[in-house]
């Protein structure tokens, strides 16, 4: 079980490497331990991220892409996986981007993970920009409710 906080005087690089999941740590130990290149990358990332953020990055990336690997493949790719789990996010535009998420804004990175939302407006909705009257809104709402009840088989009234 990993220590949930870094004690005073503890090596931050070592504390980050403790966050590697147990199957990966086992595979790394069979291959001679955590490679020095991985430790160098972690030290470089500690200049721009906290140790906690790097540990969260390891967990997020592990479950997002490597947790499903069978043991033989994990053993074969252990060094590369260890590097990928702590490597820089890859966004060349924003330093605060963490795998497509802006840390200081709690929003998607517009460059790494652009919104795929599309707005399809009818021409009659764009003509004059005025708001609909109360009667029009009520009529449209009634049409939507009727459509939902007939097309999707929603109940017609309260259940008893």
């Amino acid at each position: 079980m990993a220590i949930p906080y870094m004690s005073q005087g503890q090596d931050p690089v070592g504390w980050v490497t403790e966050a590697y999941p147990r199957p990966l740590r086992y595979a790394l130990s069979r291959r001679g331990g955590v490679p020095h290149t991985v430790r160098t990358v972690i030290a470089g990332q500690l200049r721009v991220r906290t140790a906690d953020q790097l540990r969260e990055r390891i967990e997020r990336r592990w479950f997002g892409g490597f947790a499903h690997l069978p043991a033989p493949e994990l053993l074969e790719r252990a060094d590369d996986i260890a590097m990928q789990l702590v490597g820089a996010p890859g966004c060349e535009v924003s330093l605060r981007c963490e795998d497509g998420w802006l840390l200081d804004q709690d929003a998607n990175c517009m460059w790494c993970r652009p919104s795929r939302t599309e707005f399809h407006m009818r021409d009659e909705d764009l003509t004059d920009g005025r708001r609909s009257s109360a009667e029009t809104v009520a009529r449209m709402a009634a049409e939507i409710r009727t459509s939902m009840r007939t097309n999707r088989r929603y109940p017609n009234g309260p259940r008893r």
Side-chain angles (χ1 to χ4, degrees), residues 137-159:
V137 170
R139 181 179 51 79
M140 294 299 291
E143 288 176 13
I144 291 170
R145 283 192 297 274
T146 302
S147 172
M148 289 175 67
R149 287 185 181 124
T150 57
N151 297 337
R152 297 187 183 138
R153 299 184 183 150
Y154 282 94
N156 291 332
R159 294 184 183 183

Side-chain angles (χ1 to χ4, degrees), residues 13-52:
V13 174
W15 191 67
V16 169
T17 60
E18 288 176 8
Y20 282 134
R22 183 173 289 155
L24 180 61
R25 284 188 303 190
Y26 177 75
L28 288 170
S29 70
R30 299 270 315 262
R31 296 178 58 92
V34 178
H36 295 288
T37 54
V38 172
R39 292 182 181 276
T40 304
V41 168
I42 292 172
Q45 286 297 303
L46 284 170
R47 292 188 198 110
V48 293
R49 297 288 191 267
T50 66
D52 288 329

Side-chain angles (χ1 to χ4, degrees), residues 15 24 53 68 73 86 127 133-134 148:
W15 191 67
L24 180 61
Q53 289 171 333
H68 68 282
E73 186 176 352
V86 294
T127 55
S133 66
M148 289 175 67

Side-chain angles (χ1 to χ4, degrees), residues 48-111:
V48 293
R49 297 288 191 267
T50 66
D52 288 329
Q53 289 171 333
L54 290 180
R55 288 173 67 104
E56 290 172 3
R57 179 188 294 173
I58 289 170
E59 182 177 358
R60 181 179 58 251
R61 290 180 179 178
W62 171 257
F63 286 109
F66 302 105
H68 68 282
L69 294 177
E73 186 176 352
L74 184 62
L75 184 60
E76 180 182 323
R77 297 178 48 197
D79 294 345
D80 293 332
I81 293 171
M83 181 66 82
Q84 290 178 16
L85 291 179
V86 294
C91 181
E92 298 175 5
V93 179
S94 176
L95 292 176
R96 298 304 298 161
C97 176
E98 181 65 32
D99 294 337
W101 187 257
L102 297 175
L103 294 175
D104 51 355
Q105 297 176 6
D106 286 337
N108 285 347
C109 178
M110 295 178 358
W111 299 276

